Amino acid sequence: MKTADQPMHRQAPESAKMGEGIVFGLGTGRCGTSSLASLLNGQPETVCFHELNPSAMAWSGAEATIGSLMRDFIAILGGGELYVTADLVAPNRSAPLQRARSLPKISAIGDIGSYYLPYVPFMIEQWPGLRFPCLRRNRAEVIASFVRKLAQPEASVPRNHWSAENDKRWRRDAVWDRCFPTFDEMLDEDLEAHVACYYDAYYEMTEGFVSQYPDHLRIIEITDLNSSEGRQGLLDFCLPNRVHADFEVHKNAGH
């Protein structure tokens, strides 16, 4: 996707090569990440995708995908071609692309996806300027939201992204199962127990990374998005030393 007035071979600034101006949003899912994307997309010269290309991601072994995405993001921040690989099968995946085409300059860019969490050490080592805001919603609300989504009444067999390969009680998902950890030891547990285990493991890993990389990763409670002060703190972390636009964001009901 090329815009008419973008040069083809402009050198990206050193700050972009270090990852500055690039944000990767985290969170379990069902936790307000759509609202985070909306807030970031409302900032000047900023484009934020939401689960840009899950088909090429996985909970482990996707370093090459991340490297390719970072190469594209860094080139865009340098004024290069607007080339990114997007999974357009999912609805609303093209909206940030349309926003990117409309901006005369992009000085900040990012993507949001739960599956980036295991790669935080690898990414910070390669690009130490990256920022990782991690949204956290109430545990019981997240569990209930996942169960409602995965066990929809019209589906005769529910999905369970965390179940073992030999657990035949669940419908497989060729794209999303790979983007979540697998709990092989939970063969006799129900869907709610799987989601609960995932929630606890996700934030245990996150809190460990916060201790290791306090300047790069921060846990943001979903309730912080309900106040101007909370949103400003989030934006100061994600996009420091910039002028920010504040507005209410409530993309999904129940947040």
Side-chain angles (χ1 to χ4, degrees), residues 139 143 183 185-186 192-202:
R139 182 178 186 269
I143 294 170
F183 302 124
E185 68 280 6
M186 300 185 68
E192 183 174 331
H194 278 84
V195 181
C197 185
Y198 165 62
Y199 182 99
D200 294 340
Y202 196 97

Side-chain angles (χ1 to χ4, degrees), residues 36-166:
L36 174 59
S38 179
L39 182 62
L40 292 174
N41 273 313
Q43 305 311 307
E45 300 180 351
T46 302
V47 175
C48 183
F49 299 96
H50 187 267
E51 300 171 343
L52 179 63
N53 190 12
S55 296
M57 281 299 299
W59 190 253
S60 62
E63 287 82 0
T65 297
I66 292 172
S68 177
L69 179 59
M70 282 298 300
R71 180 190 60 201
D72 294 340
F73 280 1
I74 291 168
I76 291 168
L77 292 180
E81 300 284 357
L82 183 57
Y83 287 154
V84 291
T85 302
D87 183 351
L88 298 180
V89 174
N92 303 321
R93 198 66 50 77
S94 61
L97 290 173
Q98 296 169 358
R99 170 174 170 76
R101 295 190 194 101
S102 71
L103 294 177
K105 179 182 178 182
I106 298 174
S107 61
I109 194 167
D111 188 26
I112 296 173
S114 60
Y115 40 68
Y116 289 116
L117 179 63
Y119 301 95
V120 165
F122 162 74
M123 296 171 76
I124 292 175
E125 181 180 346
Q126 300 293 320
W127 306 281
L130 293 175
R131 296 296 176 102
F132 298 88
C134 181
L135 283 184
R136 180 165 59 188
R137 184 184 177 190
N138 173 272
R139 182 178 186 269
E141 291 177 358
V142 170
I143 294 170
S145 183
F146 262 118
V147 170
R148 283 196 301 271
K149 179 183 180 181
L150 298 176
Q152 294 174 351
E154 63 269 21
S156 58
V157 180
R159 289 181 294 161
N160 183 336
H161 301 309
W162 309 273
S163 62
E165 190 73 28
N166 61 341

